[in-house]
PDB file of all heavy atoms in Angstrom:
ATOM      1  N   SER A   5     151.616 157.470  57.066  1.00  0.00           N
ATOM      2  CA  SER A   5     151.573 158.496  56.022  1.00  0.00           C
ATOM      3  C   SER A   5     151.216 157.905  54.663  1.00  0.00           C
ATOM      4  O   SER A   5     151.170 156.696  54.481  1.00  0.00           O
ATOM      5  CB  SER A   5     152.930 159.200  55.944  1.00  0.00           C
ATOM      6  OG  SER A   5     153.879 158.341  55.380  1.00  0.00           O
ATOM      7  N   ASP A   6     150.989 158.809  53.701  1.00  0.00           N
ATOM      8  CA  ASP A   6     150.629 158.357  52.361  1.00  0.00           C
ATOM      9  C   ASP A   6     151.838 158.011  51.501  1.00  0.00           C
ATOM     10  O   ASP A   6     151.695 157.684  50.346  1.00  0.00           O
ATOM     11  CB  ASP A   6     149.754 159.389  51.663  1.00  0.00           C
ATOM     12  CG  ASP A   6     150.423 160.742  51.525  1.00  0.00           C
ATOM     13  OD1 ASP A   6     151.486 160.942  52.124  1.00  0.00           O
ATOM     14  OD2 ASP A   6     149.866 161.599  50.826  1.00  0.00           O
ATOM     15  N   LEU A   7     153.034 158.072  52.082  1.00  0.00           N
ATOM     16  CA  LEU A   7     154.254 157.719  51.352  1.00  0.00           C
ATOM     17  C   LEU A   7     155.166 156.893  52.239  1.00  0.00           C
ATOM     18  O   LEU A   7     155.466 157.258  53.371  1.00  0.00           O
ATOM     19  CB  LEU A   7     154.995 158.980  50.903  1.00  0.00           C
ATOM     20  CG  LEU A   7     156.353 158.775  50.233  1.00  0.00           C
ATOM     21  CD1 LEU A   7     156.204 157.999  48.926  1.00  0.00           C
ATOM     22  CD2 LEU A   7     157.042 160.103  49.995  1.00  0.00           C
ATOM     23  N   ALA A   8     155.587 155.763  51.708  1.00  0.00           N
ATOM     24  CA  ALA A   8     156.586 154.931  52.390  1.00  0.00           C
ATOM     25  C   ALA A   8     157.789 154.841  51.468  1.00  0.00           C
ATOM     26  O   ALA A   8     157.656 154.463  50.305  1.00  0.00           O
ATOM     27  CB  ALA A   8     156.033 153.543  52.681  1.00  0.00           C
ATOM     28  N   GLN A   9     158.964 155.242  51.962  1.00  0.00           N
ATOM     29  CA  GLN A   9     160.184 155.175  51.160  1.00  0.00           C
ATOM     30  C   GLN A   9     161.094 154.112  51.738  1.00  0.00           C
ATOM     31  O   GLN A   9     161.384 154.113  52.939  1.00  0.00           O
ATOM     32  CB  GLN A   9     160.883 156.529  51.151  1.00  0.00           C
ATOM     33  CG  GLN A   9     160.097 157.567  50.384  1.00  0.00           C
ATOM     34  CD  GLN A   9     160.793 158.909  50.366  1.00  0.00           C
ATOM     35  OE1 GLN A   9     160.836 159.581  51.381  1.00  0.00           O
ATOM     36  NE2 GLN A   9     161.322 159.266  49.213  1.00  0.00           N
ATOM     37  N   LEU A  10     161.542 153.219  50.861  1.00  0.00           N
ATOM     38  CA  LEU A  10     162.393 152.097  51.247  1.00  0.00           C
ATOM     39  C   LEU A  10     163.615 152.048  50.351  1.00  0.00           C
ATOM     40  O   LEU A  10     163.637 152.634  49.275  1.00  0.00           O
ATOM     41  CB  LEU A  10     161.628 150.774  51.106  1.00  0.00           C
ATOM     42  CG  LEU A  10     160.280 150.676  51.801  1.00  0.00           C
ATOM     43  CD1 LEU A  10     159.554 149.445  51.328  1.00  0.00           C
ATOM     44  CD2 LEU A  10     160.475 150.631  53.299  1.00  0.00           C
ATOM     45  N   THR A  11     164.586 151.290  50.796  1.00  0.00           N
ATOM     46  CA  THR A  11     165.769 151.009  49.991  1.00  0.00           C
ATOM     47  C   THR A  11     165.673 149.566  49.510  1.00  0.00           C
ATOM     48  O   THR A  11     165.126 148.707  50.222  1.00  0.00           O
ATOM     49  CB  THR A  11     167.038 151.195  50.843  1.00  0.00           C
ATOM     50  OG1 THR A  11     167.069 152.548  51.319  1.00  0.00           O
ATOM     51  CG2 THR A  11     168.292 150.932  50.049  1.00  0.00           C
ATOM     52  N   VAL A  12     166.190 149.285  48.323  1.00  0.00           N
ATOM     53  CA  VAL A  12     166.177 147.927  47.792  1.00  0.00           C
ATOM     54  C   VAL A  12     166.679 146.970  48.872  1.00  0.00           C
ATOM     55  O   VAL A  12     167.702 147.213  49.509  1.00  0.00           O
ATOM     56  CB  VAL A  12     167.047 147.826  46.514  1.00  0.00           C
ATOM     57  CG1 VAL A  12     167.262 146.371  46.112  1.00  0.00           C
ATOM     58  CG2 VAL A  12     166.411 148.601  45.374  1.00  0.00           C
ATOM     59  N   GLY A  13     165.915 145.908  49.096  1.00  0.00           N
ATOM     60  CA  GLY A  13     166.293 144.896  50.083  1.00  0.00           C
ATOM     61  C   GLY A  13     165.643 145.082  51.440  1.00  0.00           C
ATOM     62  O   GLY A  13     165.629 144.170  52.260  1.00  0.00           O
ATOM     63  N   ASP A  14     165.093 146.285  51.700  1.00  0.00           N
ATOM     64  CA  ASP A  14     164.381 146.504  52.969  1.00  0.00           C
ATOM     65  C   ASP A  14     163.134 145.635  53.016  1.00  0.00           C
ATOM     66  O   ASP A  14     162.612 145.214  51.985  1.00  0.00           O
ATOM     67  CB  ASP A  14     163.930 147.969  53.097  1.00  0.00           C
ATOM     68  CG  ASP A  14     165.056 148.922  53.428  1.00  0.00           C
ATOM     69  OD1 ASP A  14     166.169 148.462  53.740  1.00  0.00           O
ATOM     70  OD2 ASP A  14     164.816 150.150  53.360  1.00  0.00           O
ATOM     71  N   SER A  15     162.639 145.409  54.217  1.00  0.00           N
ATOM     72  CA  SER A  15     161.355 144.723  54.336  1.00  0.00           C
ATOM     73  C   SER A  15     160.265 145.777  54.478  1.00  0.00           C
ATOM     74  O   SER A  15     160.519 146.891  54.933  1.00  0.00           O
ATOM     75  CB  SER A  15     161.361 143.773  55.533  1.00  0.00           C
ATOM     76  OG  SER A  15     161.578 144.493  56.723  1.00  0.00           O
ATOM     77  N   TYR A  16     159.055 145.429  54.065  1.00  0.00           N
ATOM     78  CA  TYR A  16     157.936 146.354  54.153  1.00  0.00           C
ATOM     79  C   TYR A  16     156.791 145.679  54.884  1.00  0.00           C
ATOM     80  O   TYR A  16     156.346 144.595  54.503  1.00  0.00           O
ATOM     81  CB  TYR A  16     157.473 146.788  52.760  1.00  0.00           C
ATOM     82  CG  TYR A  16     156.256 147.688  52.816  1.00  0.00           C
ATOM     83  CD1 TYR A  16     156.369 148.994  53.271  1.00  0.00           C
ATOM     84  CD2 TYR A  16     155.009 147.226  52.448  1.00  0.00           C
ATOM     85  CE1 TYR A  16     155.266 149.824  53.344  1.00  0.00           C
ATOM     86  CE2 TYR A  16     153.896 148.049  52.520  1.00  0.00           C
ATOM     87  CZ  TYR A  16     154.030 149.344  52.973  1.00  0.00           C
ATOM     88  OH  TYR A  16     152.943 150.168  53.055  1.00  0.00           O
ATOM     89  N   ALA A  17     156.337 146.308  55.934  1.00  0.00           N
ATOM     90  CA  ALA A  17     155.172 145.819  56.676  1.00  0.00           C
ATOM     91  C   ALA A  17     154.113 146.911  56.622  1.00  0.00           C
ATOM     92  O   ALA A  17     154.287 147.985  57.206  1.00  0.00           O
ATOM     93  CB  ALA A  17     155.547 145.504  58.108  1.00  0.00           C
ATOM     94  N   ASP A  18     153.049 146.667  55.893  1.00  0.00           N
ATOM     95  CA  ASP A  18     151.997 147.659  55.745  1.00  0.00           C
ATOM     96  C   ASP A  18     151.208 147.767  57.044  1.00  0.00           C
ATOM     97  O   ASP A  18     150.848 146.764  57.654  1.00  0.00           O
ATOM     98  CB  ASP A  18     151.066 147.255  54.605  1.00  0.00           C
ATOM     99  CG  ASP A  18     150.107 148.364  54.246  1.00  0.00           C
ATOM    100  OD1 ASP A  18     150.586 149.401  53.747  1.00  0.00           O
ATOM    101  OD2 ASP A  18     148.905 148.201  54.477  1.00  0.00           O
ATOM    102  N   LEU A  19     150.958 148.999  57.478  1.00  0.00           N
ATOM    103  CA  LEU A  19     150.216 149.228  58.717  1.00  0.00           C
ATOM    104  C   LEU A  19     148.712 149.227  58.507  1.00  0.00           C
ATOM    105  O   LEU A  19     147.949 149.292  59.458  1.00  0.00           O
ATOM    106  CB  LEU A  19     150.664 150.546  59.357  1.00  0.00           C
ATOM    107  CG  LEU A  19     152.125 150.582  59.789  1.00  0.00           C
ATOM    108  CD1 LEU A  19     152.481 151.955  60.338  1.00  0.00           C
ATOM    109  CD2 LEU A  19     152.393 149.508  60.822  1.00  0.00           C
ATOM    110  N   GLY A  20     148.285 149.139  57.253  1.00  0.00           N
ATOM    111  CA  GLY A  20     146.869 149.022  56.959  1.00  0.00           C
ATOM    112  C   GLY A  20     146.100 150.315  57.112  1.00  0.00           C
ATOM    113  O   GLY A  20     146.652 151.406  57.143  1.00  0.00           O
TER     114      GLY A  20
END
Side-chain angles (χ1 to χ4, degrees):
S5 72
D6 59 350
L7 175 63
Q9 291 180 288
L10 307 168
T11 301
V12 169
D14 285 351
S15 61
Y16 177 72
D18 190 67
L19 297 177

